[in-house]
Amino acid sequence: MTAELDIVVADTDPKTDSLFEPFAHKSLKLRNRFAMAPMTRGFSPNGIPGEDVAAYYRRRAAGGVGLIITEGTYIPDPAAGPMPSVPRLYSSESLEGWRRVVDEVHAEGGVIIPQLWHTGVERGERPRFNPDVPTVSPSGIALDGSTLGRAFETAELDTLLEAWVAAAVNAKDVGFDGIELHGAHGYLLDEFLWDRTNVRDDGYGGSLPARVRFPVEVVSAIRAAVGPEFAIVYRFSQWKSNQYDARIANTPTELEQILTPLVDAGVDILHPSTRRHWEPAFEDEPGRDGTLGLAGWTKRLTGVPTITVGSVGLDRVFTTAFTDDGDSRAAGLEELVRQYENGDFDLVAVGRALISDPQWVRKLQTGRTDEHIPFSTEHRKVLH
């Protein structure tokens, strides 16, 4: 039975009313501006999402989330990632599992897209999934600059491209409402963008336009395969795993040189990943520009809808989320609302707060923020 979550509730916090406005763009028809951020879990044995995974996402949809972005799910490349328990977007068993997830979320009035994922060099030297397959990346260079695995041959990029397209087509066939491409955090597509991990000399490396070439080709090929109305979200970031000062763009002009070709190729919505949504992206810019966050700059430069993210609703940044001192208390949303009303973003992705409290959005809507359950590292250790 579909949950009745679109009712206007009298005691909704007036500060956040605007975040409960509907949003529609191509195949995405959302009841509010809240998304569930993609968060790796590793609860899909042999890459198959089971009934427990379907129940996990259904609870968030029942709790009021407008858009669910799933955890990263491997594309059909044998070196896509290191863990056998991460879900995959290929094989009949995995796709049937995802079909169950989609049906459960839709039954609660939610909208859901999968995050397509290839970890590239971050797969590491000793993967547990397909351990006999070497790790492959743009240049065989790890995030710290050391040598790891090998580089893709130019001739192999066509096959890699086909794997991205196959995953996207599978997602559409399963019934997902769109897709997100994981181009952030030092994973494969991001490795092409970053000059530290891309030193290729074959037309896919060197200048910034050359480094963005392969991600653009992925987007363009997927757009051709899924049609004009199937929404494509692209997640990117400045920071990388354990490289928090990394940058793919040092100025707004460089950021525009990255994002504009992606949008021209077919990206509908951009999802700039930050650790703190309120932090300025380019502090050296004058006036208000020096306070504008990455989502604000993204929307200004491209004009497309933008998702903001980063420690929403919590008082501690997520770098400690996986350690014993990673507990966070609930925090106010005043700055988030200010950014939204300034037009800096269209959707907001909530991560850890939704792990700890599947009803987080519903409680916010009904003015029960005092009932929000604080995040604890224990929440990551169980299905919830």
mmCIF file of all heavy atoms in Angstrom, residues 140-180:
data_model
loop_
_atom_site.group_PDB
_atom_site.id
_atom_site.type_symbol
_atom_site.label_atom_id
_atom_site.label_comp_id
_atom_site.label_asym_id
_atom_site.label_seq_id
_atom_site.Cartn_x
_atom_site.Cartn_y
_atom_site.Cartn_z
ATOM 1 N N GLY A 140 47.443 3.859 -14.343
ATOM 2 C CA GLY A 140 48.095 2.955 -13.402
ATOM 3 C C GLY A 140 48.749 3.685 -12.246
ATOM 4 O O GLY A 140 49.752 3.234 -11.697
ATOM 5 N N ILE A 141 48.158 4.823 -11.859
ATOM 6 C CA ILE A 141 48.695 5.659 -10.783
ATOM 7 C C ILE A 141 47.654 5.770 -9.676
ATOM 8 O O ILE A 141 46.509 6.160 -9.926
ATOM 9 C CB ILE A 141 49.070 7.058 -11.293
ATOM 10 C CG1 ILE A 141 50.165 6.956 -12.357
ATOM 11 C CG2 ILE A 141 49.514 7.961 -10.147
ATOM 12 C CD1 ILE A 141 50.491 8.277 -13.024
ATOM 13 N N ALA A 142 48.063 5.427 -8.445
ATOM 14 C CA ALA A 142 47.172 5.529 -7.300
ATOM 15 C C ALA A 142 46.978 6.978 -6.891
ATOM 16 O O ALA A 142 47.691 7.877 -7.357
ATOM 17 C CB ALA A 142 47.739 4.721 -6.130
ATOM 18 N N LEU A 143 46.019 7.216 -5.986
ATOM 19 C CA LEU A 143 45.707 8.584 -5.579
ATOM 20 C C LEU A 143 46.876 9.272 -4.894
ATOM 21 O O LEU A 143 46.985 10.505 -4.922
ATOM 22 C CB LEU A 143 44.488 8.594 -4.648
ATOM 23 C CG LEU A 143 43.192 7.984 -5.185
ATOM 24 C CD1 LEU A 143 42.048 8.270 -4.222
ATOM 25 C CD2 LEU A 143 42.867 8.496 -6.582
ATOM 26 N N ASP A 144 47.776 8.484 -4.291
ATOM 27 C CA ASP A 144 48.940 9.093 -3.631
ATOM 28 C C ASP A 144 50.121 9.286 -4.564
ATOM 29 O O ASP A 144 51.200 9.691 -4.153
ATOM 30 C CB ASP A 144 49.353 8.259 -2.425
ATOM 31 C CG ASP A 144 49.803 6.847 -2.802
ATOM 32 O OD1 ASP A 144 49.854 6.517 -4.006
ATOM 33 O OD2 ASP A 144 50.108 6.065 -1.884
ATOM 34 N N GLY A 145 49.916 8.978 -5.853
ATOM 35 C CA GLY A 145 50.967 9.158 -6.853
ATOM 36 C C GLY A 145 51.828 7.944 -7.094
ATOM 37 O O GLY A 145 52.686 7.958 -7.990
ATOM 38 N N SER A 146 51.623 6.874 -6.349
ATOM 39 C CA SER A 146 52.413 5.652 -6.534
ATOM 40 C C SER A 146 51.863 4.833 -7.694
ATOM 41 O O SER A 146 50.743 5.038 -8.157
ATOM 42 C CB SER A 146 52.405 4.823 -5.248
ATOM 43 O OG SER A 146 51.097 4.383 -4.943
ATOM 44 N N THR A 147 52.668 3.878 -8.150
ATOM 45 C CA THR A 147 52.244 2.985 -9.227
ATOM 46 C C THR A 147 51.374 1.872 -8.660
ATOM 47 O O THR A 147 51.716 1.262 -7.646
ATOM 48 C CB THR A 147 53.461 2.375 -9.931
ATOM 49 O OG1 THR A 147 54.251 3.430 -10.495
ATOM 50 C CG2 THR A 147 53.038 1.425 -11.037
ATOM 51 N N LEU A 148 50.250 1.629 -9.314
ATOM 52 C CA LEU A 148 49.348 0.554 -8.874
ATOM 53 C C LEU A 148 48.592 0.036 -10.084
ATOM 54 O O LEU A 148 47.986 0.808 -10.827
ATOM 55 C CB LEU A 148 48.374 1.065 -7.814
ATOM 56 C CG LEU A 148 47.653 0.007 -6.956
ATOM 57 C CD1 LEU A 148 47.172 0.618 -5.645
ATOM 58 C CD2 LEU A 148 46.448 -0.591 -7.700
ATOM 59 N N GLY A 149 48.631 -1.273 -10.304
ATOM 60 C CA GLY A 149 47.936 -1.865 -11.441
ATOM 61 C C GLY A 149 48.540 -1.421 -12.757
ATOM 62 O O GLY A 149 49.736 -1.161 -12.862
ATOM 63 N N ARG A 150 47.692 -1.317 -13.758
ATOM 64 C CA ARG A 150 48.164 -0.903 -15.089
ATOM 65 C C ARG A 150 47.203 0.094 -15.690
ATOM 66 O O ARG A 150 46.085 0.290 -15.222
ATOM 67 C CB ARG A 150 48.294 -2.124 -16.001
ATOM 68 C CG ARG A 150 46.976 -2.782 -16.380
ATOM 69 C CD ARG A 150 47.183 -3.861 -17.442
ATOM 70 N NE ARG A 150 45.922 -4.482 -17.871
ATOM 71 C CZ ARG A 150 45.140 -4.000 -18.822
ATOM 72 N NH1 ARG A 150 45.469 -2.866 -19.459
ATOM 73 N NH2 ARG A 150 44.021 -4.627 -19.161
ATOM 74 N N ALA A 151 47.646 0.713 -16.769
ATOM 75 C CA ALA A 151 46.819 1.692 -17.475
ATOM 76 C C ALA A 151 45.988 1.010 -18.559
ATOM 77 O O ALA A 151 46.405 -0.008 -19.138
ATOM 78 C CB ALA A 151 47.701 2.762 -18.105
ATOM 79 N N PHE A 152 44.828 1.538 -18.830
ATOM 80 C CA PHE A 152 44.032 1.076 -19.965
ATOM 81 C C PHE A 152 44.757 1.383 -21.266
ATOM 82 O O PHE A 152 45.275 2.487 -21.468
ATOM 83 C CB PHE A 152 42.681 1.785 -20.014
ATOM 84 C CG PHE A 152 41.643 1.228 -19.094
ATOM 85 C CD1 PHE A 152 41.319 1.901 -17.923
ATOM 86 C CD2 PHE A 152 40.973 0.052 -19.392
ATOM 87 C CE1 PHE A 152 40.353 1.403 -17.065
ATOM 88 C CE2 PHE A 152 40.012 -0.450 -18.549
ATOM 89 C CZ PHE A 152 39.700 0.224 -17.371
ATOM 90 N N GLU A 153 44.811 0.393 -22.141
ATOM 91 C CA GLU A 153 45.231 0.658 -23.513
ATOM 92 C C GLU A 153 44.127 1.444 -24.213
ATOM 93 O O GLU A 153 42.937 1.290 -23.893
ATOM 94 C CB GLU A 153 45.480 -0.661 -24.258
ATOM 95 C CG GLU A 153 46.564 -1.531 -23.655
ATOM 96 C CD GLU A 153 47.952 -0.921 -23.825
ATOM 97 O OE1 GLU A 153 48.124 -0.085 -24.752
ATOM 98 O OE2 GLU A 153 48.844 -1.281 -23.049
ATOM 99 N N THR A 154 44.508 2.283 -25.160
ATOM 100 C CA THR A 154 43.509 3.088 -25.859
ATOM 101 C C THR A 154 42.433 2.214 -26.483
ATOM 102 O O THR A 154 41.233 2.531 -26.414
ATOM 103 C CB THR A 154 44.176 3.943 -26.946
ATOM 104 O OG1 THR A 154 45.198 4.755 -26.354
ATOM 105 C CG2 THR A 154 43.152 4.847 -27.627
ATOM 106 N N ALA A 155 42.828 1.079 -27.047
ATOM 107 C CA ALA A 155 41.874 0.187 -27.701
ATOM 108 C C ALA A 155 40.886 -0.432 -26.717
ATOM 109 O O ALA A 155 39.803 -0.879 -27.113
ATOM 110 C CB ALA A 155 42.627 -0.915 -28.451
ATOM 111 N N GLU A 156 41.235 -0.459 -25.425
ATOM 112 C CA GLU A 156 40.349 -1.051 -24.418
ATOM 113 C C GLU A 156 39.232 -0.102 -23.988
ATOM 114 O O GLU A 156 38.253 -0.540 -23.374
ATOM 115 C CB GLU A 156 41.153 -1.448 -23.182
ATOM 116 C CG GLU A 156 42.152 -2.570 -23.408
ATOM 117 C CD GLU A 156 42.969 -2.854 -22.157
ATOM 118 O OE1 GLU A 156 43.597 -1.912 -21.628
ATOM 119 O OE2 GLU A 156 42.964 -4.029 -21.706
ATOM 120 N N LEU A 157 39.379 1.173 -24.294
ATOM 121 C CA LEU A 157 38.392 2.144 -23.821
ATOM 122 C C LEU A 157 37.030 1.940 -24.466
ATOM 123 O O LEU A 157 35.997 2.250 -23.854
ATOM 124 C CB LEU A 157 38.892 3.565 -24.059
ATOM 125 C CG LEU A 157 40.138 3.966 -23.252
ATOM 126 C CD1 LEU A 157 40.534 5.407 -23.566
ATOM 127 C CD2 LEU A 157 39.898 3.786 -21.755
ATOM 128 N N ASP A 158 36.990 1.422 -25.677
ATOM 129 C CA ASP A 158 35.694 1.143 -26.301
ATOM 130 C C ASP A 158 34.932 0.076 -25.533
ATOM 131 O O ASP A 158 33.717 0.181 -25.333
ATOM 132 C CB ASP A 158 35.887 0.708 -27.757
ATOM 133 C CG ASP A 158 36.260 1.866 -28.676
ATOM 134 O OD1 ASP A 158 36.059 3.030 -28.266
ATOM 135 O OD2 ASP A 158 36.762 1.602 -29.782
ATOM 136 N N THR A 159 35.634 -0.955 -25.095
ATOM 137 C CA THR A 159 34.993 -2.017 -24.309
ATOM 138 C C THR A 159 34.532 -1.495 -22.957
ATOM 139 O O THR A 159 33.444 -1.832 -22.471
ATOM 140 C CB THR A 159 35.963 -3.193 -24.106
ATOM 141 O OG1 THR A 159 36.349 -3.701 -25.390
ATOM 142 C CG2 THR A 159 35.313 -4.307 -23.302
ATOM 143 N N LEU A 160 35.364 -0.653 -22.348
ATOM 144 C CA LEU A 160 34.994 -0.035 -21.078
ATOM 145 C C LEU A 160 33.743 0.829 -21.251
ATOM 146 O O LEU A 160 32.832 0.803 -20.413
ATOM 147 C CB LEU A 160 36.152 0.802 -20.562
ATOM 148 C CG LEU A 160 35.949 1.552 -19.254
ATOM 149 C CD1 LEU A 160 35.663 0.591 -18.110
ATOM 150 C CD2 LEU A 160 37.167 2.418 -18.938
ATOM 151 N N LEU A 161 33.695 1.567 -22.333
ATOM 152 C CA LEU A 161 32.525 2.401 -22.636
ATOM 153 C C LEU A 161 31.268 1.542 -22.762
ATOM 154 O O LEU A 161 30.199 1.894 -22.236
ATOM 155 C CB LEU A 161 32.788 3.171 -23.927
ATOM 156 C CG LEU A 161 31.718 4.165 -24.390
ATOM 157 C CD1 LEU A 161 31.604 5.327 -23.428
ATOM 158 C CD2 LEU A 161 32.053 4.666 -25.795
ATOM 159 N N GLU A 162 31.400 0.421 -23.415
ATOM 160 C CA GLU A 162 30.255 -0.479 -23.600
ATOM 161 C C GLU A 162 29.731 -1.000 -22.268
ATOM 162 O O GLU A 162 28.520 -1.223 -22.107
ATOM 163 C CB GLU A 162 30.650 -1.646 -24.510
ATOM 164 C CG GLU A 162 30.894 -1.246 -25.962
ATOM 165 C CD GLU A 162 31.510 -2.364 -26.783
ATOM 166 O OE1 GLU A 162 31.707 -3.466 -26.216
ATOM 167 O OE2 GLU A 162 31.787 -2.144 -27.976
ATOM 168 N N ALA A 163 30.617 -1.185 -21.290
ATOM 169 C CA ALA A 163 30.195 -1.659 -19.975
ATOM 170 C C ALA A 163 29.332 -0.607 -19.278
ATOM 171 O O ALA A 163 28.325 -0.935 -18.639
ATOM 172 C CB ALA A 163 31.409 -2.007 -19.122
ATOM 173 N N TRP A 164 29.723 0.671 -19.370
ATOM 174 C CA TRP A 164 28.909 1.740 -18.799
ATOM 175 C C TRP A 164 27.537 1.780 -19.461
ATOM 176 O O TRP A 164 26.510 1.908 -18.778
ATOM 177 C CB TRP A 164 29.614 3.086 -18.977
ATOM 178 C CG TRP A 164 30.763 3.319 -18.056
ATOM 179 C CD1 TRP A 164 32.093 3.137 -18.331
ATOM 180 C CD2 TRP A 164 30.706 3.784 -16.695
ATOM 181 N NE1 TRP A 164 32.846 3.458 -17.229
ATOM 182 C CE2 TRP A 164 32.036 3.863 -16.219
ATOM 183 C CE3 TRP A 164 29.664 4.147 -15.853
ATOM 184 C CZ2 TRP A 164 32.334 4.280 -14.926
ATOM 185 C CZ3 TRP A 164 29.950 4.569 -14.565
ATOM 186 C CH2 TRP A 164 31.277 4.638 -14.110
ATOM 187 N N VAL A 165 27.503 1.665 -20.771
ATOM 188 C CA VAL A 165 26.235 1.708 -21.493
ATOM 189 C C VAL A 165 25.356 0.521 -21.118
ATOM 190 O O VAL A 165 24.151 0.673 -20.880
ATOM 191 C CB VAL A 165 26.482 1.746 -23.011
ATOM 192 C CG1 VAL A 165 25.168 1.600 -23.774
ATOM 193 C CG2 VAL A 165 27.186 3.041 -23.409
ATOM 194 N N ALA A 166 25.947 -0.660 -21.027
ATOM 195 C CA ALA A 166 25.172 -1.858 -20.682
ATOM 196 C C ALA A 166 24.515 -1.711 -19.319
ATOM 197 O O ALA A 166 23.344 -2.079 -19.127
ATOM 198 C CB ALA A 166 26.074 -3.090 -20.711
ATOM 199 N N ALA A 167 25.246 -1.154 -18.353
ATOM 200 C CA ALA A 167 24.680 -0.965 -17.023
ATOM 201 C C ALA A 167 23.519 0.018 -17.062
ATOM 202 O O ALA A 167 22.489 -0.188 -16.393
ATOM 203 C CB ALA A 167 25.759 -0.476 -16.058
ATOM 204 N N ALA A 168 23.668 1.090 -17.817
ATOM 205 C CA ALA A 168 22.599 2.084 -17.914
ATOM 206 C C ALA A 168 21.345 1.499 -18.555
ATOM 207 O O ALA A 168 20.217 1.742 -18.098
ATOM 208 C CB ALA A 168 23.090 3.293 -18.717
ATOM 209 N N VAL A 169 21.525 0.733 -19.616
ATOM 210 C CA VAL A 169 20.385 0.088 -20.283
ATOM 211 C C VAL A 169 19.720 -0.908 -19.336
ATOM 212 O O VAL A 169 18.483 -0.996 -19.264
ATOM 213 C CB VAL A 169 20.833 -0.582 -21.589
ATOM 214 C CG1 VAL A 169 19.718 -1.442 -22.169
ATOM 215 C CG2 VAL A 169 21.280 0.470 -22.599
ATOM 216 N N ASN A 170 20.524 -1.666 -18.594
ATOM 217 C CA ASN A 170 19.958 -2.596 -17.616
ATOM 218 C C ASN A 170 19.123 -1.860 -16.573
ATOM 219 O O ASN A 170 18.059 -2.330 -16.166
ATOM 220 C CB ASN A 170 21.075 -3.375 -16.917
ATOM 221 C CG ASN A 170 21.709 -4.429 -17.797
ATOM 222 O OD1 ASN A 170 21.149 -4.806 -18.819
ATOM 223 N ND2 ASN A 170 22.881 -4.895 -17.409
ATOM 224 N N ALA A 171 19.616 -0.718 -16.126
ATOM 225 C CA ALA A 171 18.884 0.069 -15.128
ATOM 226 C C ALA A 171 17.517 0.498 -15.666
ATOM 227 O O ALA A 171 16.503 0.415 -14.965
ATOM 228 C CB ALA A 171 19.701 1.290 -14.718
ATOM 229 N N LYS A 172 17.496 0.945 -16.894
ATOM 230 C CA LYS A 172 16.225 1.368 -17.490
ATOM 231 C C LYS A 172 15.289 0.177 -17.642
ATOM 232 O O LYS A 172 14.088 0.278 -17.332
ATOM 233 C CB LYS A 172 16.483 2.028 -18.846
ATOM 234 C CG LYS A 172 15.222 2.609 -19.479
ATOM 235 C CD LYS A 172 15.529 3.337 -20.784
ATOM 236 C CE LYS A 172 14.245 3.940 -21.352
ATOM 237 N NZ LYS A 172 14.506 4.648 -22.649
ATOM 238 N N ASP A 173 15.818 -0.961 -18.080
ATOM 239 C CA ASP A 173 14.996 -2.149 -18.277
ATOM 240 C C ASP A 173 14.409 -2.664 -16.965
ATOM 241 O O ASP A 173 13.283 -3.189 -16.934
ATOM 242 C CB ASP A 173 15.817 -3.252 -18.946
ATOM 243 C CG ASP A 173 16.163 -2.939 -20.401
ATOM 244 O OD1 ASP A 173 15.541 -2.014 -20.977
ATOM 245 O OD2 ASP A 173 17.060 -3.605 -20.949
ATOM 246 N N VAL A 174 15.157 -2.525 -15.868
ATOM 247 C CA VAL A 174 14.697 -2.991 -14.567
ATOM 248 C C VAL A 174 13.547 -2.132 -14.045
ATOM 249 O O VAL A 174 12.726 -2.590 -13.245
ATOM 250 C CB VAL A 174 15.881 -2.994 -13.565
ATOM 251 C CG1 VAL A 174 15.420 -3.012 -12.130
ATOM 252 C CG2 VAL A 174 16.773 -4.201 -13.833
ATOM 253 N N GLY A 175 13.492 -0.877 -14.466
ATOM 254 C CA GLY A 175 12.434 0.009 -14.025
ATOM 255 C C GLY A 175 12.885 1.186 -13.194
ATOM 256 O O GLY A 175 12.053 1.944 -12.655
ATOM 257 N N PHE A 176 14.197 1.377 -13.075
ATOM 258 C CA PHE A 176 14.699 2.553 -12.382
ATOM 259 C C PHE A 176 14.216 3.813 -13.096
ATOM 260 O O PHE A 176 13.941 3.804 -14.300
ATOM 261 C CB PHE A 176 16.230 2.543 -12.342
ATOM 262 C CG PHE A 176 16.817 1.648 -11.285
ATOM 263 C CD1 PHE A 176 17.440 0.450 -11.630
ATOM 264 C CD2 PHE A 176 16.772 2.021 -9.946
ATOM 265 C CE1 PHE A 176 18.003 -0.362 -10.653
ATOM 266 C CE2 PHE A 176 17.338 1.211 -8.965
ATOM 267 C CZ PHE A 176 17.954 0.020 -9.315
ATOM 268 N N ASP A 177 14.150 4.916 -12.352
ATOM 269 C CA ASP A 177 13.624 6.167 -12.874
ATOM 270 C C ASP A 177 14.681 7.049 -13.529
ATOM 271 O O ASP A 177 14.360 8.139 -14.034
ATOM 272 C CB ASP A 177 12.960 6.946 -11.732
ATOM 273 C CG ASP A 177 11.810 6.167 -11.117
ATOM 274 O OD1 ASP A 177 10.800 5.971 -11.800
ATOM 275 O OD2 ASP A 177 11.937 5.730 -9.952
ATOM 276 N N GLY A 178 15.913 6.631 -13.537
ATOM 277 C CA GLY A 178 17.038 7.362 -14.091
ATOM 278 C C GLY A 178 18.300 6.676 -13.612
ATOM 279 O O GLY A 178 18.246 5.556 -13.083
ATOM 280 N N ILE A 179 19.442 7.329 -13.767
ATOM 281 C CA ILE A 179 20.709 6.777 -13.293
ATOM 282 C C ILE A 179 21.577 7.906 -12.756
ATOM 283 O O ILE A 179 21.382 9.074 -13.106
ATOM 284 C CB ILE A 179 21.504 6.044 -14.403
ATOM 285 C CG1 ILE A 179 21.769 6.991 -15.586
ATOM 286 C CG2 ILE A 179 20.804 4.771 -14.853
ATOM 287 C CD1 ILE A 179 22.772 6.451 -16.586
ATOM 288 N N GLU A 180 22.526 7.535 -11.897
ATOM 289 C CA GLU A 180 23.602 8.450 -11.526
ATOM 290 C C GLU A 180 24.928 7.797 -11.890
ATOM 291 O O GLU A 180 25.147 6.615 -11.583
ATOM 292 C CB GLU A 180 23.587 8.783 -10.032
ATOM 293 C CG GLU A 180 24.777 9.652 -9.631
ATOM 294 C CD GLU A 180 24.729 10.171 -8.205
ATOM 295 O OE1 GLU A 180 24.043 11.192 -7.996
ATOM 296 O OE2 GLU A 180 25.371 9.571 -7.319
#
